[in-house]
Amino acid sequence: YSSSLSFFSLEGFDVPAGLGPLLFFLTLLTYLVVLLGNGVVMWVIVMDQSLHRPMYVMVCHLTVCDLIGGTALLPRIMLHLLTGERRISYGAAITQAVFVHTYAAAFQTILALMAYDRYIAVCKPLRYHSIMTSARLHLSCALAWFIAILAIFILFMLHLNEPLCGRTVQHIYCSNRTILALACGPTPVNNLYGLSMTWCLSTGVFLIVFFSYAKILSVTTKQSRSESSIRSKAVQTCASHLVVYLVFEIATLILITLYRFPSVSTNIKKLLGILYILAPTTINPLVYGLVSKDLRASIIKLLSKKNHHRN
């Protein structure tokens, strides 16, 4: 973006008098839940050697995404709620937008990789360890991040020379769409790339997840009743991934649908724009902690061991 303005003004929430401190406290509590939940999951996976398996390594990458999304969003909102500060510097606005979009893109590419991993684990169990070697695992994770970062890098590089005339960002946080709305003229190339990138990424991830789980379902339903334990184990390992994917997609769908209704209040739109990021980042650690038996057992074991040492 090319702008002579050193500061933008965030539209923010229309907070009723006296409610600012309460909303600040609730936002702070949410941020602590994001940090604690994802931090504990990451810590347990790093510390427990038995969890150094592809699925849990990918869960660890997912927690990094959650921490990026929550940190890009919540501290700035807390500042606004506590002090009423609406100004944001040009550099901070671009940085926030980049990290918000990187979170969303990387979240999807890692979910696609996890779906493929579950497909190999369930449909080709005998070849799983020869296919998903340590080198391929780390290369695949690096590739997932590279695709996401490259897509967002190009998105913002296209805007480097785009002059901005507006000053007020029509949201509680900065994003590509809200900053681009401040451009002095039409931005067809930027809009086309943004829409194409979003469509390709979302559709590509959906197809990978759909075909992976269609194949998993086909394989598990063809197994005999004597192999019911294998089927139940497959469902257990896949359930957490599917729940996380569905939470992200439902949040996205609600947000997109809501913007088609101008009659909906701007505060509701802003709130749901935040929940689009916060719902996955707060729910994901809970989903993996509750659904994954191995991860849950490791969390209990490590926490009880820590308490035992204290006593």
Side-chain angles (χ1 to χ4, degrees), residues 3-305:
S3 176
S4 59
L5 303 173
S6 57
F7 284 91
F8 295 130
S9 176
L10 287 163
E11 194 175 71
F13 282 119
D14 297 321
V15 181
L19 275 184
L22 174 61
L23 294 175
F24 165 79
F25 175 75
L26 293 174
T27 308
L28 175 61
L29 191 63
T30 304
Y31 190 40
L32 291 175
V33 168
V34 171
L35 292 178
L36 185 63
N38 288 284
V40 166
V41 171
M42 186 188 296
W43 172 68
V44 169
I45 292 171
V46 170
M47 295 298 292
D48 194 336
Q49 292 285 334
S50 68
L51 295 180
H52 291 185
R53 289 176 272 162
M55 178 184 174
Y56 295 106
V57 170
M58 292 174 198
V59 169
C60 202
H61 280 272
L62 213 57
T63 62
V64 174
C65 280
D66 289 340
L67 291 172
I68 288 173
T71 303
L73 192 66
L74 292 174
R76 182 72 217 181
I77 294 174
M78 286 189 284
L79 178 66
H80 164 63
L81 292 172
L82 190 63
T83 66
E85 178 63 66
R86 292 175 183 264
R87 290 201 317 164
I88 183 170
S89 69
Y90 172 78
I94 299 302
T95 301
Q96 184 181 50
V98 167
F99 277 104
V100 164
H101 286 283
T102 300
Y103 151 76
F107 196 89
Q108 292 183 81
T109 54
I110 292 168
L111 283 176
L113 181 60
M114 292 175 77
Y116 176 71
D117 172 72
R118 292 299 83 204
Y119 159 72
I120 299 295
V122 176
C123 300
K124 301 180 181 180
L126 299 179
R127 295 181 56 206
Y128 179 73
H129 294 293
S130 62
I131 294 173
M132 195 58 74
T133 61
S134 178
R136 283 179 183 164
L137 168 65
H138 293 302
L139 180 63
S140 298
C141 290
L143 183 62
W145 280 102
F146 176 75
I147 291 170
I149 292 170
L150 179 64
I152 302 307
F153 176 76
I154 294 172
L155 178 69
F156 282 88
M157 284 298 291
L158 282 173
H159 305 159
L160 275 180
N161 298 316
E162 195 67 54
L164 302 178
C165 296
R167 182 183 289 273
T168 303
V169 175
Q170 304 289 325
H171 210 330
I172 190 72
Y173 64 89
C174 299
S175 66
N176 170 63
R177 187 176 59 84
T178 56
I179 295 177
L180 201 59
L182 307 178
C184 299
T187 54
V189 175
N190 314 65
N191 293 335
L192 180 62
Y193 175 79
L195 287 171
S196 301
M197 181 203 71
T198 303
W199 186 87
C200 289
L201 198 60
S202 299
T203 305
V205 170
F206 171 77
L207 290 174
I208 291 171
V209 172
F210 177 80
F211 284 113
S212 295
Y213 279 95
K215 194 68 177 174
I216 288 170
L217 185 63
S218 174
V219 168
T220 53
T221 51
K222 286 177 183 176
Q223 291 169 342
S224 62
R225 290 185 179 179
S226 61
E227 294 174 300
S228 60
S229 61
I230 298 174
R231 188 185 302 119
S232 63
K233 187 176 180 181
V235 170
Q236 185 190 52
T237 58
C238 297
S240 53
H241 174 261
L242 268 180
V243 170
V244 168
Y245 175 73
L246 288 173
V247 166
F248 182 81
E249 289 301 315
I250 289 169
T252 305
L253 186 62
I254 290 172
L255 183 65
I256 292 171
T257 304
L258 200 70
Y259 274 98
R260 299 292 180 270
F261 295 94
S263 59
V264 178
S265 74
T266 54
N267 265 356
I268 296 293
K269 288 180 180 178
K270 289 172 190 172
L271 179 62
L272 286 171
I274 294 170
L275 290 178
Y276 154 73
I277 295 175
L278 289 188
T281 57
T282 52
I283 292 172
N284 292 349
L286 187 64
V287 169
Y288 282 111
L290 291 176
V291 177
S292 173
K293 190 183 294 183
D294 292 344
L295 183 56
R296 185 169 67 250
S298 293
I299 291 172
I300 294 169
K301 184 177 72 175
L302 285 172
L303 290 178
S304 60
K305 189 183 293 184

